[in-house]
Amino acid sequence: QGCGNCCLCSNLRQKQYHFLNEPLSKEEYEKRVSEFRGSYAKMEEMRGKWLQLQKDMIHRHANIVNSENCTGDFIENSKNCLDCYDMNESQDSRYVVVGVQVKDNYDCSNMYIKPELCYETLGTIEVYNCAYCLFVFHSQNLLLCEYCFNCKDCFGCVGLKHKQYCIFNKQYPKEEYEQLVSKIIEHMRKTNEWGLYLPSSLSPFGYNESLAHEYLPLTAKDANAQGFSWRTVVEKKPEVKKTIPASRLPDRIEDIPDDVLNWAIVCDVTGRPFRIQKQELDFYRRQNLPLPHAHPDERYDRRLRLRNPRRLWARKCMKCGKEMQTTYAPERPERVYCEECYLKEVY
């Protein structure tokens, strides 16, 4: 934090011109870094050093800053947010993933700009008192609604704008609306439907096609056991006349010919072919970056694997033995410290 011109470093504060945590002169630092630029082999060597650094460095039990009584990860300027992730300027919430200025939310995700009193809802901007909803903006008092904007007092509606007192997209007088909603909820209680988000059986997608699978991976057997569908897709590789294995690409970016745009590169990991676009090649050349050897999907998965799961485990600080909640599972080998021990170590 507060660092500049640092490469392959960890646990530094207010430093510059450091390489592998070693202080260098500006000239020596730039020389060391330049040795790795432009070469795929050197970049992979650097990546290996970085992955080793991840194992050796001290890890903070949670990235929680300027917050009170919060658990989870990546929380800033918040209070009383438990089991929450990627939150800032929020309070009095639990099981919320990604939120800005959230208040009194429970079991929600992607909640932005003052969502208040929401339950089992995903994707909002400035809403109040909404439950079991998906992508509702600037609205209030919505139940089981999707894609409704600037609406109030709606039940089971989809795709409405500037509407009020609607049930299944039909408008009612206020008194009749309130009576019908009460009757519907009473019926749903008898059928054990009330209090739950829309069932997974209504989803047109398989679990393995969803973002949920990326953050909370399941096997096909486990997904089916939990009521999710699973779609087996056999990928048909595109028919490409001109291909080149990634391993045969020139090592340095300055040696990559323009003709690479006419070839499909075969991924080192998956064997899937992929193309390089002209704008992409121009970017790599400007930034002196080597050409990637992995398919874009593989690169995405690789980045995702670097992130800790959005789940908490009880674990002891490896410095003082204090109990703490962290996204590092107990069996993981990293050195994980509680807040007090971590701060003592880095300052």
Coordinates of all heavy atoms in Angstrom, one line a residue, residues 86-166:
D86 N -16.8 -7.6 -0.6 CA -16.8 -6.5 -1.6 C -17.9 -5.4 -1.3 O -18.8 -5.1 -2.1 CB -17.0 -7.0 -3.0 CG -15.9 -7.9 -3.4 OD1 -14.8 -7.5 -3.8 OD2 -16.1 -9.2 -3.3
M87 N -17.7 -4.9 -0.1 CA -18.7 -3.9 0.4 C -18.0 -2.6 0.8 O -16.9 -2.6 1.3 CB -19.4 -4.5 1.7 CG -20.3 -5.7 1.4 SD -21.9 -5.3 1.0 CE -22.6 -4.9 2.6
N88 N -18.7 -1.5 0.7 CA -18.2 -0.3 1.2 C -19.3 0.7 1.6 O -20.4 0.6 1.0 CB -17.2 0.4 0.3 CG -17.8 0.8 -1.1 OD1 -18.6 1.7 -1.1 ND2 -17.3 0.2 -2.1
E89 N -19.0 1.5 2.6 CA -20.0 2.5 3.1 C -21.4 1.8 3.4 O -22.4 2.4 3.1 CB -20.2 3.6 2.1 CG -18.9 4.4 1.8 CD -19.0 5.4 0.7 OE1 -20.0 6.1 0.8 OE2 -18.1 5.5 -0.1
S90 N -21.3 0.7 4.1 CA -22.6 0.0 4.4 C -22.7 -0.3 5.9 O -21.7 -0.2 6.6 CB -22.5 -1.3 3.6 OG -22.5 -1.1 2.2
Q91 N -23.9 -0.8 6.3 CA -24.1 -1.1 7.7 C -25.3 -2.1 7.8 O -26.2 -2.2 7.0 CB -24.4 0.2 8.4 CG -25.7 0.9 8.1 CD -25.9 2.2 8.9 OE1 -25.2 3.2 8.6 NE2 -26.8 2.2 9.8
D92 N -25.2 -2.8 9.0 CA -26.3 -3.6 9.4 C -26.8 -4.6 8.4 O -28.0 -4.6 8.1 CB -27.5 -2.7 10.0 CG -27.0 -1.8 11.0 OD1 -26.2 -2.2 11.9 OD2 -27.5 -0.6 11.1
S93 N -25.9 -5.4 7.8 CA -26.3 -6.3 6.8 C -25.6 -7.7 7.0 O -24.6 -7.7 7.7 CB -25.9 -5.8 5.4 OG -26.6 -4.6 5.1
R94 N -26.1 -8.7 6.3 CA -25.5 -10.0 6.4 C -25.7 -10.8 5.1 O -26.7 -10.6 4.4 CB -26.1 -10.8 7.6 CG -25.4 -12.1 7.8 CD -25.6 -12.7 9.2 NE -24.6 -13.7 9.5 CZ -24.5 -14.2 10.7 NH1 -25.3 -13.9 11.7 NH2 -23.5 -15.1 11.0
Y95 N -24.7 -11.6 4.8 CA -24.7 -12.4 3.5 C -25.0 -11.5 2.3 O -25.8 -11.8 1.4 CB -25.8 -13.5 3.6 CG -25.6 -14.4 4.8 CD1 -26.7 -14.7 5.6 CD2 -24.4 -15.0 5.1 CE1 -26.6 -15.5 6.7 CE2 -24.3 -15.9 6.1 CZ -25.4 -16.1 6.9 OH -25.3 -17.0 8.0
V96 N -24.2 -10.4 2.2 CA -24.3 -9.5 1.0 C -23.0 -9.6 0.3 O -21.9 -9.4 0.9 CB -24.7 -8.0 1.4 CG1 -24.7 -7.1 0.2 CG2 -26.0 -8.0 2.2
V97 N -23.1 -9.8 -1.0 CA -21.9 -9.8 -1.9 C -22.0 -8.7 -2.9 O -22.9 -8.6 -3.7 CB -21.8 -11.2 -2.6 CG1 -20.7 -11.2 -3.6 CG2 -21.7 -12.3 -1.6
V98 N -21.0 -7.8 -2.8 CA -20.9 -6.6 -3.6 C -22.0 -5.6 -3.3 O -23.2 -5.8 -3.6 CB -21.0 -7.0 -5.2 CG1 -20.7 -5.7 -6.0 CG2 -20.0 -8.0 -5.5
G99 N -21.7 -4.6 -2.6 CA -22.6 -3.6 -2.2 C -22.0 -2.2 -1.9 O -20.9 -2.1 -1.5
V100 N -22.7 -1.2 -2.3 CA -22.3 0.2 -2.1 C -23.4 0.9 -1.3 O -24.6 1.0 -1.8 CB -22.0 0.9 -3.4 CG1 -21.6 2.3 -3.2 CG2 -20.9 0.2 -4.2
Q101 N -23.1 1.4 -0.1 CA -24.1 2.2 0.7 C -25.3 1.3 1.0 O -26.4 1.8 0.9 CB -24.5 3.5 0.0 CG -23.3 4.4 -0.2 CD -23.6 5.7 -1.0 OE1 -24.6 5.8 -1.7 NE2 -22.8 6.7 -0.8
V102 N -25.0 0.1 1.4 CA -26.1 -0.8 1.7 C -26.5 -0.7 3.2 O -25.7 -0.5 4.0 CB -25.6 -2.3 1.4 CG1 -26.6 -3.3 1.9 CG2 -25.3 -2.5 0.0
K103 N -27.8 -0.8 3.4 CA -28.3 -0.7 4.8 C -29.4 -1.7 5.0 O -30.4 -1.8 4.2 CB -28.8 0.7 5.1 CG -29.2 0.9 6.5 CD -29.7 2.4 6.8 CE -30.1 2.5 8.2 NZ -30.6 3.9 8.5
D104 N -29.3 -2.5 6.1 CA -30.3 -3.5 6.4 C -30.7 -4.4 5.3 O -31.9 -4.5 4.9 CB -31.6 -2.7 6.9 CG -31.3 -2.0 8.3 OD1 -30.8 -2.6 9.2 OD2 -31.7 -0.8 8.3
N105 N -29.7 -5.0 4.7 CA -29.9 -6.0 3.6 C -29.6 -7.4 4.1 O -28.6 -7.5 5.0 CB -29.1 -5.7 2.4 CG -29.7 -4.6 1.5 OD1 -29.5 -4.6 0.3 ND2 -30.5 -3.7 2.1
Y106 N -30.2 -8.4 3.6 CA -29.9 -9.8 4.1 C -30.0 -10.7 2.8 O -31.0 -10.7 2.1 CB -30.9 -10.2 5.1 CG -30.6 -11.5 5.8 CD1 -30.0 -11.5 7.1 CD2 -30.9 -12.8 5.3 CE1 -29.6 -12.7 7.7 CE2 -30.6 -13.9 5.9 CZ -30.0 -13.9 7.2 OH -29.7 -15.0 7.8
D107 N -28.9 -11.4 2.6 CA -28.9 -12.4 1.6 C -29.1 -11.8 0.2 O -30.0 -12.2 -0.6 CB -29.9 -13.5 1.8 CG -29.5 -14.8 1.1 OD1 -28.4 -14.9 0.6 OD2 -30.3 -15.8 1.1
C108 N -28.3 -10.8 -0.2 CA -28.4 -10.1 -1.4 C -27.1 -10.0 -2.2 O -26.0 -10.3 -1.6 CB -28.9 -8.7 -1.2 SG -30.6 -8.6 -0.4
S109 N -27.1 -9.6 -3.4 CA -25.9 -9.5 -4.2 C -26.0 -8.3 -5.2 O -27.1 -8.1 -5.7 CB -25.6 -10.8 -4.9 OG -24.4 -10.7 -5.7
N110 N -24.9 -7.6 -5.4 CA -24.8 -6.6 -6.4 C -25.9 -5.5 -6.1 O -26.7 -5.1 -6.9 CB -25.0 -7.1 -7.8 CG -23.8 -7.9 -8.3 OD1 -23.8 -9.1 -8.0 ND2 -22.9 -7.3 -9.0
M111 N -25.7 -4.9 -4.9 CA -26.6 -3.9 -4.4 C -25.9 -2.5 -4.4 O -24.9 -2.4 -3.7 CB -27.1 -4.2 -3.0 CG -27.6 -5.7 -2.9 SD -29.1 -6.0 -3.8 CE -30.3 -5.2 -2.8
Y112 N -26.5 -1.6 -5.2 CA -25.7 -0.3 -5.3 C -26.6 0.9 -4.9 O -27.8 0.9 -5.1 CB -25.3 -0.2 -6.8 CG -24.4 -1.2 -7.3 CD1 -24.8 -2.3 -8.1 CD2 -23.0 -1.2 -6.9 CE1 -23.9 -3.3 -8.5 CE2 -22.1 -2.1 -7.4 CZ -22.6 -3.2 -8.1 OH -21.7 -4.2 -8.5
I113 N -25.9 1.8 -4.4 CA -26.4 3.2 -4.1 C -27.7 3.2 -3.3 O -28.8 3.3 -3.8 CB -26.6 4.0 -5.4 CG1 -25.4 3.7 -6.3 CG2 -26.8 5.5 -5.1 CD1 -24.9 4.8 -7.2
K114 N -27.5 3.0 -2.0 CA -28.5 3.1 -1.0 C -29.7 2.1 -1.1 O -30.8 2.5 -1.0 CB -29.1 4.5 -1.0 CG -28.0 5.6 -0.6 CD -28.6 7.0 -0.6 CE -27.5 8.0 -0.3 NZ -28.0 9.4 -0.3
P115 N -29.4 0.9 -1.3 CA -30.5 -0.1 -1.2 C -30.8 -0.4 0.3 O -29.9 -0.7 1.0 CB -29.9 -1.4 -1.9 CG -28.5 -1.2 -1.7 CD -28.1 0.2 -1.7
E116 N -32.0 -0.3 0.7 CA -32.3 -0.4 2.1 C -33.5 -1.4 2.3 O -34.4 -1.4 1.5 CB -32.7 0.9 2.7 CG -32.9 0.9 4.2 CD -33.1 2.3 4.7 OE1 -32.8 3.3 4.0 OE2 -33.5 2.5 5.9
L117 N -33.4 -2.2 3.3 CA -34.4 -3.2 3.7 C -34.8 -4.1 2.5 O -35.9 -4.2 2.0 CB -35.7 -2.5 4.1 CG -35.7 -1.9 5.5 CD1 -37.0 -1.1 5.8 CD2 -35.5 -2.9 6.6
C118 N -33.7 -4.8 2.0 CA -33.9 -5.8 0.9 C -33.5 -7.2 1.4 O -32.7 -7.4 2.3 CB -33.0 -5.4 -0.3 SG -33.5 -3.8 -1.0
Y119 N -34.2 -8.1 0.8 CA -34.0 -9.5 1.2 C -34.0 -10.4 -0.1 O -34.9 -10.3 -0.9 CB -35.1 -10.0 2.1 CG -35.1 -11.4 2.5 CD1 -34.0 -12.0 3.2 CD2 -36.1 -12.3 2.2 CE1 -33.9 -13.3 3.6 CE2 -36.1 -13.6 2.6 CZ -35.0 -14.1 3.3 OH -34.9 -15.4 3.6
E120 N -33.0 -11.3 -0.2 CA -32.9 -12.2 -1.4 C -33.2 -11.5 -2.7 O -34.1 -11.8 -3.5 CB -33.9 -13.4 -1.2 CG -33.5 -14.3 0.0 CD -33.9 -15.7 -0.2 OE1 -34.4 -16.1 -1.3 OE2 -33.6 -16.5 0.7
T121 N -32.4 -10.5 -2.9 CA -32.6 -9.6 -4.1 C -31.2 -9.5 -4.8 O -30.2 -9.4 -4.1 CB -33.2 -8.3 -3.7 OG1 -34.6 -8.5 -3.4 CG2 -33.1 -7.3 -4.9
L122 N -31.2 -9.4 -6.1 CA -29.9 -9.2 -6.8 C -30.0 -8.1 -7.8 O -31.0 -8.1 -8.6 CB -29.6 -10.6 -7.5 CG -28.2 -10.6 -8.2 CD1 -27.7 -12.0 -8.2 CD2 -28.3 -10.2 -9.7
G123 N -29.0 -7.2 -7.8 CA -28.9 -6.2 -8.9 C -29.9 -5.1 -8.7 O -31.0 -5.0 -9.3
T124 N -29.5 -4.1 -7.8 CA -30.4 -2.9 -7.6 C -29.6 -1.6 -7.6 O -28.4 -1.6 -7.5 CB -31.0 -3.0 -6.2 OG1 -29.9 -2.9 -5.2 CG2 -31.7 -4.4 -6.0
I125 N -30.3 -0.6 -7.8 CA -29.8 0.8 -7.7 C -30.9 1.6 -7.0 O -32.0 1.7 -7.5 CB -29.5 1.5 -9.0 CG1 -28.4 0.7 -9.8 CG2 -29.1 2.9 -8.8 CD1 -28.1 1.3 -11.1
E126 N -30.6 2.0 -5.8 CA -31.5 2.9 -5.0 C -32.9 2.4 -4.9 O -33.8 2.9 -5.5 CB -31.5 4.3 -5.7 CG -31.9 5.4 -4.7 CD -31.7 6.8 -5.3 OE1 -31.7 7.0 -6.5 OE2 -31.5 7.7 -4.5
V127 N -33.0 1.3 -4.1 CA -34.3 0.7 -3.9 C -34.6 0.6 -2.4 O -33.7 0.7 -1.6 CB -34.4 -0.7 -4.5 CG1 -34.3 -0.6 -6.0 CG2 -33.4 -1.6 -3.9
Y128 N -35.9 0.4 -2.0 CA -36.3 0.3 -0.6 C -37.3 -0.7 -0.5 O -38.3 -0.8 -1.3 CB -36.8 1.7 -0.2 CG -37.3 1.7 1.2 CD1 -36.4 2.0 2.3 CD2 -38.7 1.5 1.5 CE1 -36.9 2.0 3.6 CE2 -39.1 1.5 2.9 CZ -38.2 1.8 3.9 OH -38.6 1.8 5.2
N129 N -37.1 -1.6 0.5 CA -38.1 -2.6 0.9 C -38.5 -3.5 -0.3 O -39.7 -3.6 -0.7 CB -39.4 -1.9 1.4 CG -40.3 -2.9 2.2 OD1 -39.8 -3.8 2.8 ND2 -41.6 -2.7 2.1
C130 N -37.5 -4.2 -0.8 CA -37.7 -5.2 -1.9 C -37.3 -6.6 -1.5 O -36.3 -6.7 -0.8 CB -36.9 -4.7 -3.2 SG -37.5 -3.1 -3.8
A131 N -38.0 -7.6 -2.0 CA -37.7 -9.0 -1.6 C -37.9 -9.8 -2.8 O -38.9 -9.6 -3.6 CB -38.5 -9.5 -0.4
Y132 N -37.0 -10.8 -3.0 CA -37.1 -11.8 -4.1 C -37.2 -11.2 -5.5 O -38.0 -11.5 -6.3 CB -38.4 -12.7 -3.9 CG -38.7 -13.0 -2.5 CD1 -39.8 -12.6 -1.9 CD2 -37.8 -13.8 -1.7 CE1 -40.1 -12.9 -0.5 CE2 -38.0 -14.1 -0.4 CZ -39.2 -13.6 0.2 OH -39.4 -13.9 1.5
C133 N -36.3 -10.2 -5.7 CA -36.3 -9.4 -6.9 C -35.0 -9.5 -7.6 O -34.0 -9.8 -7.1 CB -36.7 -7.9 -6.6 SG -38.3 -7.6 -6.0
L134 N -35.1 -9.2 -8.9 CA -33.9 -9.3 -9.8 C -33.9 -8.0 -10.7 O -34.8 -7.8 -11.4 CB -33.9 -10.5 -10.7 CG -32.8 -10.7 -11.8 CD1 -31.5 -10.8 -11.1 CD2 -33.1 -11.8 -12.7
F135 N -32.8 -7.3 -10.6 CA -32.6 -6.1 -11.4 C -33.8 -5.1 -11.3 O -34.6 -5.0 -12.3 CB -32.3 -6.5 -12.9 CG -31.0 -7.3 -13.0 CD1 -31.0 -8.4 -13.8 CD2 -29.9 -6.8 -12.5 CE1 -29.9 -9.2 -13.9 CE2 -28.7 -7.6 -12.6 CZ -28.7 -8.7 -13.3
V136 N -33.9 -4.5 -10.2 CA -34.9 -3.5 -10.0 C -34.2 -2.2 -9.6 O -33.4 -2.2 -8.7 CB -36.0 -3.9 -8.9 CG1 -36.8 -5.1 -9.5 CG2 -35.3 -4.4 -7.6
F137 N -34.6 -1.1 -10.2 CA -33.9 0.2 -10.0 C -34.9 1.3 -9.6 O -36.0 1.3 -10.1 CB -33.2 0.6 -11.3 CG -32.1 -0.3 -11.8 CD1 -31.7 -0.2 -13.1 CD2 -31.6 -1.3 -11.0 CE1 -30.8 -1.1 -13.6 CE2 -30.7 -2.2 -11.5 CZ -30.3 -2.1 -12.8
H138 N -34.4 2.1 -8.7 CA -35.2 3.3 -8.3 C -36.7 3.0 -7.9 O -37.6 3.6 -8.4 CB -35.1 4.4 -9.4 CG -33.8 4.7 -9.9 ND1 -32.8 5.3 -9.1 CD2 -33.1 4.4 -11.0 CE1 -31.7 5.4 -9.8 NE2 -31.8 4.9 -11.0
S139 N -36.8 1.9 -7.1 CA -38.2 1.4 -6.8 C -38.3 1.1 -5.4 O -37.3 1.1 -4.6 CB -38.4 0.2 -7.7 OG -38.4 0.5 -9.1
Q140 N -39.5 0.9 -4.9 CA -39.8 0.5 -3.5 C -41.0 -0.4 -3.4 O -41.9 -0.4 -4.3 CB -39.9 1.7 -2.7 CG -41.1 2.6 -3.0 CD -41.1 4.0 -2.3 OE1 -40.1 4.6 -2.2 NE2 -42.2 4.3 -1.7
N141 N -41.0 -1.2 -2.4 CA -42.1 -2.1 -2.0 C -42.4 -3.0 -3.2 O -43.6 -3.2 -3.7 CB -43.4 -1.3 -1.7 CG -43.1 -0.3 -0.6 OD1 -42.3 -0.6 0.3 ND2 -43.8 0.8 -0.6
L142 N -41.4 -3.8 -3.7 CA -41.6 -4.7 -4.7 C -41.4 -6.2 -4.2 O -40.5 -6.4 -3.3 CB -40.6 -4.5 -5.9 CG -40.5 -3.1 -6.5 CD1 -39.6 -3.1 -7.7 CD2 -41.9 -2.7 -7.0
L143 N -42.2 -7.1 -4.7 CA -42.1 -8.5 -4.3 C -42.1 -9.3 -5.5 O -42.9 -9.2 -6.4 CB -43.2 -8.9 -3.4 CG -43.3 -8.3 -2.0 CD1 -44.7 -8.6 -1.3 CD2 -42.2 -8.7 -1.1
L144 N -41.1 -10.2 -5.7 CA -41.0 -11.2 -6.8 C -41.1 -10.5 -8.1 O -41.9 -10.8 -9.0 CB -42.1 -12.2 -6.6 CG -42.0 -13.2 -5.5 CD1 -43.3 -13.8 -5.1 CD2 -40.9 -14.2 -5.7
C145 N -40.3 -9.4 -8.3 CA -40.3 -8.6 -9.5 C -39.0 -8.7 -10.2 O -37.9 -8.9 -9.6 CB -40.7 -7.2 -9.3 SG -42.4 -6.9 -8.7
E146 N -39.0 -8.5 -11.5 CA -37.8 -8.5 -12.3 C -37.8 -7.4 -13.3 O -38.9 -7.1 -13.9 CB -37.6 -9.9 -13.1 CG -37.4 -11.0 -12.2 CD -36.9 -12.3 -13.0 OE1 -36.6 -12.1 -14.2 OE2 -36.9 -13.4 -12.4
Y147 N -36.7 -6.7 -13.5 CA -36.5 -5.7 -14.5 C -37.6 -4.6 -14.4 O -38.3 -4.3 -15.4 CB -36.5 -6.3 -15.9 CG -35.3 -7.1 -16.1 CD1 -35.3 -8.5 -16.0 CD2 -34.0 -6.6 -16.5 CE1 -34.2 -9.3 -16.2 CE2 -32.9 -7.3 -16.7 CZ -33.0 -8.7 -16.5 OH -31.9 -9.5 -16.7
C148 N -37.9 -4.1 -13.2 CA -38.9 -3.1 -13.0 C -38.1 -1.8 -12.5 O -37.3 -1.9 -11.6 CB -39.9 -3.5 -11.9 SG -41.0 -4.8 -12.5
F149 N -38.4 -0.7 -13.2 CA -37.7 0.5 -13.0 C -38.7 1.6 -12.6 O -39.7 1.8 -13.2 CB -36.9 0.9 -14.2 CG -36.1 -0.2 -14.8 CD1 -36.2 -0.6 -16.1 CD2 -35.2 -0.9 -14.0 CE1 -35.4 -1.6 -16.6 CE2 -34.5 -2.0 -14.5 CZ -34.6 -2.3 -15.8
N150 N -38.3 2.4 -11.5 CA -39.1 3.5 -11.0 C -40.6 3.1 -10.7 O -41.5 3.7 -11.1 CB -39.2 4.7 -12.1 CG -37.8 5.2 -12.4 OD1 -37.1 4.8 -13.3 ND2 -37.3 6.1 -11.5
C151 N -40.7 1.9 -10.0 CA -42.0 1.4 -9.7 C -42.2 1.3 -8.2 O -41.2 1.3 -7.4 CB -42.1 0.0 -10.3 SG -42.2 -0.1 -12.1
K152 N -43.5 1.3 -7.8 CA -43.8 1.1 -6.4 C -44.9 0.1 -6.2 O -45.8 0.0 -7.1 CB -44.3 2.5 -5.8 CG -43.3 3.6 -5.8 CD -43.9 4.9 -5.3 CE -43.0 6.0 -5.3 NZ -43.6 7.3 -4.7
D153 N -44.9 -0.6 -5.1 CA -46.0 -1.5 -4.8 C -46.4 -2.4 -5.9 O -47.5 -2.3 -6.4 CB -47.2 -0.7 -4.3 CG -46.8 0.3 -3.2 OD1 -46.5 -0.1 -2.1 OD2 -46.8 1.5 -3.5
C154 N -45.5 -3.3 -6.3 CA -45.8 -4.2 -7.4 C -45.5 -5.6 -6.9 O -44.5 -5.9 -6.1 CB -45.0 -3.9 -8.6 SG -45.5 -2.4 -9.4
F155 N -46.2 -6.6 -7.4 CA -46.1 -8.0 -7.0 C -46.0 -8.9 -8.3 O -46.9 -8.8 -9.1 CB -47.2 -8.5 -6.1 CG -47.1 -9.9 -5.6 CD1 -46.7 -10.1 -4.3 CD2 -47.4 -11.0 -6.4 CE1 -46.6 -11.3 -3.8 CE2 -47.3 -12.2 -5.9 CZ -46.8 -12.4 -4.6
G156 N -45.0 -9.7 -8.4 CA -44.9 -10.6 -9.5 C -44.9 -10.0 -10.9 O -45.5 -10.5 -11.8
C157 N -44.2 -8.8 -11.0 CA -44.2 -8.1 -12.3 C -42.9 -8.2 -13.0 O -41.8 -8.3 -12.3 CB -44.6 -6.6 -12.0 SG -46.3 -6.4 -11.4
V158 N -42.9 -8.0 -14.3 CA -41.7 -8.1 -15.1 C -41.7 -6.9 -16.1 O -42.7 -6.7 -16.8 CB -41.6 -9.4 -15.8 CG1 -40.3 -9.4 -16.7 CG2 -41.5 -10.6 -14.9
G159 N -40.6 -6.2 -16.2 CA -40.4 -5.2 -17.3 C -41.3 -4.0 -17.2 O -41.6 -3.4 -18.2
L160 N -41.7 -3.5 -16.0 CA -42.5 -2.4 -15.9 C -41.7 -1.1 -15.6 O -40.6 -1.2 -15.1 CB -43.5 -2.5 -14.7 CG -44.5 -3.6 -14.9 CD1 -45.5 -3.5 -13.7 CD2 -45.3 -3.6 -16.2
K161 N -42.2 0.0 -16.0 CA -41.6 1.3 -15.8 C -42.7 2.3 -15.3 O -43.7 2.4 -15.8 CB -40.9 1.9 -17.0 CG -39.8 1.1 -17.6 CD -39.2 1.7 -18.8 CE -38.0 0.9 -19.3 NZ -37.4 1.5 -20.6
H162 N -42.3 3.0 -14.2 CA -43.2 4.1 -13.7 C -44.6 3.5 -13.4 O -45.6 4.1 -13.8 CB -43.3 5.2 -14.6 CG -41.9 5.9 -14.9 ND1 -41.3 6.7 -14.0 CD2 -41.1 5.7 -16.0 CE1 -40.1 7.1 -14.5 NE2 -40.0 6.5 -15.7
K163 N -44.7 2.4 -12.7 CA -46.0 1.8 -12.4 C -46.2 1.6 -10.9 O -45.2 1.6 -10.2 CB -46.2 0.4 -13.1 CG -46.2 0.5 -14.6 CD -47.4 1.2 -15.2 CE -47.4 1.1 -16.7 NZ -48.6 1.8 -17.3
Q164 N -47.4 1.5 -10.5 CA -47.7 1.3 -9.1 C -49.0 0.4 -8.9 O -49.9 0.5 -9.8 CB -47.9 2.6 -8.4 CG -48.1 2.5 -6.8 CD -48.1 3.9 -6.1 OE1 -48.2 4.9 -6.8 NE2 -47.9 3.9 -4.8
Y165 N -49.0 -0.4 -7.9 CA -50.2 -1.3 -7.6 C -50.5 -2.2 -8.7 O -51.6 -2.3 -9.3 CB -51.4 -0.4 -7.2 CG -51.2 0.5 -6.1 CD1 -51.5 1.9 -6.2 CD2 -50.7 0.1 -4.9 CE1 -51.3 2.8 -5.2 CE2 -50.5 1.0 -3.8 CZ -50.8 2.3 -4.0 OH -50.6 3.2 -2.9
C166 N -49.4 -2.9 -9.1 CA -49.6 -3.9 -10.2 C -49.3 -5.3 -9.7 O -48.4 -5.5 -8.9 CB -48.6 -3.6 -11.4 SG -49.0 -2.1 -12.3

